[in-house]
Amino acid sequence: MNLNRITRAALAAGLALATLAACNSNGAKSENDNGVVTIKWQGYSQERLEFYREAAAEFRKEFPNINVVPEELAEADYKQALPLSFRSKNSPDIFTFTWPAAGEYFELADVIGNKWAAPLDDSVLPADFRSRFRDTSNLMEPIYSQGGKIYTTPRPPATGTIGFGYMYFNKDVIAKAGLTGKLPATWAEFTAACQAVKEKAGASCLAQSTQGPDEIERLLTTFVGVNKKGYTPSKVSLQTGKFTETSDPQFVEALQYIRSLYEQQYVFPGQYDKIAARQAVVGGKAAFYFDGGWMSSVFPQTFKFKNFGVALPPAKTTAAPGGYAGRIAQGPPLPELFISSQSKHPKEATQFLEWMTRPKGWFSEHFTAKGFDLLPWIDPADAAKWLPKDNLARELLPLDPKVHVLAPVPALKCPDLAKSEAMSKVDRIQENLVHSTVNKYLQSGGDWPALAKGIEDKQNKVFEAQLSKEAASGLKVSTDCYAEPDWDGLTPFKFSK
C-alpha cells in the first residue's frame, strides 16, 4: 500500500473541500445588502474556467441580481470533494456529475439516490425549454426527469465531437496515389485505393492501432459499425440480447475484410498505439486512419497537421452511405448539470441554466466559437457558422447524420440494470478477451467464426446465469433488456412511446 499516495490524495480532497466550504453559497451568506444572490457553479473542466467567468459576467448583464461564480477543480480532486461537500452541507448550487457507479445513463438515479439534486424551477422556464434538446424526447426520458420534473441539462454526446466514425486521410498521399476526388466508398474501391497508395505513393494504406480494447474499438466501431446492422461495442447483440455479436455473419465478413488488408501488407506494420498510428498519417507514411470526430481538433492542435481530409467509411458493395447495413449507434445525450438539493437559490440557478441553454444565446455561440465541443441544443447550421475558421469540425457536420443514428439503450428499457452485475462479471472473466483475440486474428489470421464461438460461450454462460439469479431476486432484468430485433439499425430509434 502506497501511504504517500494515499496521504496526497486525502490532502488534495481536503484542500478541495476547504475551498468549497470557504466560499460556498450554502455555508456562508449568499445574498448581499443589495439583494444580489451568489450562485456557485462547480465542475472539473479547468481549461474552460476563463470562458465560464466570461459567461457569468455576460449573464449578469441580463440578471444583475444573480452573481454566478464558476469554480473548476482537477477531476480527481473534484470526484473526492463533491461527496464530502454534500456531507458537510457545503455543496455548490450547480454541480457537474458524469461518473455514476452503475455506468452511463444512471447519473440521475445516482444523484436522486444520494438526495443531492433538486428539480429545475418550472416557474422560470419558457414553454419551449424541453424542446431545445435534440434526441431527448423533450426531456421526458427518466434520465432527465422524474415525476414530471426536470432535474438536469444534458452535455454533448459521450462519443465526443460529432461522434465516432470517420475516415481521415493525408491529402498529399492521396494526391500521389491519384485518388484526389476519387475517394473509396466501397470495400472493392478501398482495396484498389490501397494498391494505388502502395504502388504510386510508396506508403501504407492504413495506419490503425490495435493495442488495447479502446484502440481496437476505434477501428471496429467505425468500420464494422456501418457494415453491420445495430453494432454494439459491448458485443451484446441487439438481435438476440446475448453475446452473439462477434459471430454475426455481417461482423465476421467485415472483420475478414480488414484481415485481408493485413494479408496484402496494406496496413502500416508493427504493434503500435494511437499516437504512432496518427503520426504515420501525419508523416505521410500512411494514407488512411479511422477514428472519431475529435480528430478534427487533435490533428491541428496536437500534431500541427492541417493537410488532412475527412470522409465516410466505406460500405460493402454499394457506395456509402446508401450501402450501409447499419449506422454507428449513439444514445441520447447524457445528463451533466444538476441543481443541489441544498441550494438556497434553486430559482436563480434555474435561470442560469435556462440562459446557458438558449439555442441562439451568447453561451451557445461563444462556447462553439471556442471550439470546445458541439452542444446538444444548437442547430448544426449555427454550429457551422460559429465554429472557428480553422476548425475542420465544420466538415463533419454534413457527414454526421449519414454515419450516426439514435440507437436503443438497454438502461432506458430496464432501469434495474443499474443494480445488475451481469456485464461487470463478464468483463472480469473475459479480461478483454474479445479485443485481444481480434488483435491476434488481424495480425496472424485464423478461423474467426470458431474463435468467436469459443469466446461467446464463455461470456453467455456467466451473463445468463447472473441475469437469472438477479431476476429471481426481484430485479426486472433479462437478456430481453438488451434485445431490439425489430430495429433496422438505420433509422432513429423511438424511445418514449
Side-chain angles (χ1 to χ4, degrees):
M1 182 180 293
N2 190 330
L3 293 179
N4 287 333
R5 184 172 62 192
I6 294 173
T7 301
R8 287 196 300 271
L11 179 59
L15 289 173
L17 180 59
T19 300
L20 282 169
C23 57
N24 190 271
S25 64
N26 300 311
K29 190 175 181 181
S30 59
E31 184 174 340
N32 67 18
D33 293 337
N34 295 321
V36 175
V37 168
T38 296
I39 297 293
K40 302 298 181 184
W41 166 31
Q42 194 160 54
Y44 52 87
S45 298
Q46 291 182 301
E47 74 282 2
R48 300 176 184 174
L49 180 57
E50 287 306 313
F51 169 73
Y52 289 161
R53 287 172 176 164
E54 292 177 32
E58 192 67 26
F59 169 74
R60 194 165 180 183
K61 292 178 182 178
E62 183 175 341
F63 297 88
N65 65 312
I66 307 174
N67 177 36
V68 175
V69 179
E71 296 170 351
E72 301 296 321
L73 302 177
E75 183 174 357
D77 294 342
Y78 180 72
K79 286 183 177 181
Q80 294 184 65
L82 186 65
L84 294 175
S85 73
F86 276 97
R87 205 171 301 149
S88 302
K89 301 191 183 301
N90 284 309
S91 64
D93 297 275
I94 298 173
F95 65 95
T96 300
F97 186 79
T98 60
W99 59 92
E104 291 182 349
Y105 296 103
F106 296 110
E107 288 87 348
L108 183 57
D110 264 19
V111 296
I112 292 290
N114 290 333
K115 299 181 180 180
W116 285 357
L120 276 62
D121 188 329
D122 290 335
S123 70
V124 292
L125 293 177
D128 67 346
F129 183 76
R130 286 181 176 273
S131 64
R132 291 179 181 179
F133 305 93
R134 298 191 309 280
D135 297 335
T136 67
S137 302
N138 288 337
L139 296 178
M140 294 301 294
E141 293 297 338
I143 58 175
Y144 311 114
S145 299
Q146 281 199 10
K149 295 286 187 179
I150 304 168
Y151 274 83
T152 186
T153 58
R155 65 184 183 271
T159 45
T161 308
I162 328 182
F164 236 123
Y166 301 94
M167 182 175 73
Y168 294 90
F169 56 91
N170 182 309
K171 290 183 177 180
D172 282 340
V173 177
I174 292 299
K176 289 177 184 178
L179 297 171
T180 303
K182 296 181 288 185
L183 290 171
T186 66
W187 294 3
E189 290 175 1
F190 193 81
T191 301
C194 286
Q195 183 176 0
V197 167
K198 185 175 181 179
E199 294 177 354
K200 297 179 181 180
S204 295
C205 179
L206 175 67
Q208 204 73 36
S209 170
T210 54
Q211 284 190 354
D214 174 69
E215 306 275 309
I216 296 175
E217 200 53 55
R218 295 169 192 273
L219 175 61
L220 296 183
T221 295
T222 300
F223 190 89
V224 178
V226 294
N227 286 294
K228 181 193 176 301
K229 175 184 175 180
Y231 173 75
T232 61
S234 72
K235 307 302 183 292
V236 177
S237 169
L238 285 169
Q239 299 302 304
T240 65
K242 302 177 184 179
F243 283 94
T244 58
E245 184 89 316
T246 55
S247 62
D248 182 280
Q250 290 180 327
F251 182 99
V252 172
E253 194 170 10
L255 194 65
Q256 288 174 335
Y257 173 74
I258 299 171
R259 168 60 189 160
S260 75
L261 302 177
Y262 281 81
E263 290 175 330
Q264 297 173 79
Q265 298 183 338
Y266 289 149
V267 181
F268 188 69
Q271 291 281 335
Y272 45 89
D273 62 14
K274 64 186 178 184
I275 302 300
R278 295 164 181 177
Q279 286 175 331
V281 174
V282 170
K285 296 179 180 179
F288 296 101
Y289 173 69
F290 294 107
D291 211 329
W294 45 85
M295 292 308 302
S296 62
S297 297
V298 172
F299 272 137
Q301 293 178 9
T302 303
F303 296 93
K304 310 303 178 187
F305 176 60
K306 296 183 179 180
N307 195 33
F308 67 92
V310 60
L312 297 172
K316 182 182 174 183
T317 57
T318 305
Y324 285 157
R327 296 187 181 179
I328 297 172
Q330 289 187 308
L334 295 168
E336 179 176 48
L337 294 177
F338 298 86
I339 296 174
S340 170
S341 58
Q342 297 175 358
S343 175
K344 297 176 181 177
H345 304 290
K347 176 181 176 181
E348 288 80 3
T350 300
Q351 287 176 302
F352 178 68
L353 293 180
E354 187 280 320
W355 176 87
M356 174 194 287
T357 59
R358 292 175 183 175
K360 294 183 181 293
W362 186 96
F363 188 94
S364 296
E365 177 178 352
H366 289 80
F367 184 94
T368 308
K370 292 284 186 182
F372 289 136
D373 214 330
L374 292 182
L375 297 166
W377 57 80
I378 64 172
D379 187 274
D382 287 329
K385 180 173 61 178
W386 295 333
L387 280 167
K389 291 182 179 179
D390 61 349
N391 189 326
L392 295 182
R394 66 178 69 252
E395 294 188 19
L396 303 180
L397 288 167
L399 301 181
D400 176 36
K402 298 176 183 178
V403 294
H404 298 124
V405 66
L406 192 64
V409 175
L412 297 185
K413 183 178 182 180
C414 300
D416 274 0
L417 288 177
K419 304 170 187 175
S420 173
E421 296 183 12
M423 291 295 289
S424 61
K425 287 204 170 185
V426 171
D427 287 341
R428 287 198 291 273
I429 64 103
Q430 72 179 37
E431 295 180 345
N432 300 321
L433 184 57
V434 173
H435 294 92
S436 62
T437 307
V438 166
N439 183 22
K440 291 177 183 177
Y441 171 75
L442 292 178
Q443 300 290 336
S444 306
D447 183 349
W448 179 256
L451 292 170
K453 183 67 166 55
I455 295 170
E456 291 173 354
D457 286 346
K458 294 178 183 178
Q459 293 172 316
N460 284 316
K461 183 178 179 180
V462 173
F463 187 59
E464 294 180 69
Q466 182 62 27
L467 286 174
S468 295
K469 179 180 177 181
E470 291 169 348
S473 73
L475 293 184
K476 294 181 180 179
V477 295
S478 68
T479 57
D480 182 60
C481 294
Y482 298 87
E484 289 292 347
D486 295 332
W487 182 56
D488 66 3
L490 293 168
T491 56
F493 183 77
K494 300 295 184 183
F495 281 95
S496 289
K497 301 298 187 287

